[in-house]
Amino acid sequence: MKYEDRDFPERVLVLKTADEYRDKGYDVSLESIVDILPGYRADLVARKDDQVRVVEVRRRSSLKGDLRIHELARAVEAKPGWSLDLVLVAEPEKLDSPADARPIDSGGVMGRIAEAEALVESGHPEPAFLIAWSACEAVVRMLIADQGVSDDGITHAGFVLDLATKLGAISRAEHRQLTDFQRCRNAIVHGYSHDEFNDDIVSELIGTVRGMAASKT
């Protein structure tokens, strides 16, 4: 399977993993031929000094019956200084939404921001945060679309943020900030609370969404 043909979650994770190895000082090659197993092309090979790390990014379901990955593991194990890193990508999360569900547009984003602000003022920060987060995801998907890339099949918020970062639609700093907001969102929707949640966090999210929305105008 060629790298360009892979699903977005896998492609994003390959690039993210490559960056992580580069940050650790490795020389990284994508879609690299593995000499110790003729005809095998690994997702990436990372080299540093006498270390060689062969990295494969896979869905767990794709590993069933894959004899080549077992051949690769044996070949790597027999080679001094070589190791195999298997990175598992989460299976896509399916949205159980109505058949006529569709993304909100820029007007819908601004409407939800206004609704979130009104809820904060009336003393309802948690509902305000969830509405602001929905506007946030909508804007990030718009920024991805602006890059000429479809996010079809990328339903998990973490995948959306990773893809937007790899495309340069949002910065790494924005990715870290939005990931922190996502953790707050997760706590609320799954029935948890935490002491640090307050109106200021909601206002910060609203301001962030406004800034991202403004970048589209």
Side-chain angles (χ1 to χ4, degrees), residues 104-174:
I104 61 174
D105 57 16
S106 297
V109 167
M110 300 312 296
R112 292 194 182 186
I113 290 174
E115 186 177 353
E117 289 174 329
L119 284 167
V120 172
E121 292 175 1
S122 63
H124 301 287
E126 290 189 344
F129 190 91
L130 294 181
I131 290 175
W133 177 259
S134 71
C136 178
E137 280 201 45
V139 171
V140 174
R141 290 176 185 275
M142 291 177 193
L143 295 174
I144 290 173
D146 287 346
Q147 301 297 316
V149 176
S150 171
D151 69 342
D152 290 345
I154 312 299
T155 58
H156 190 284
F159 289 159
V160 173
L161 296 182
D162 284 348
L163 179 58
T165 304
K166 291 304 176 185
L167 293 172
I170 62 175
S171 68
R172 291 186 179 277
E174 288 172 326

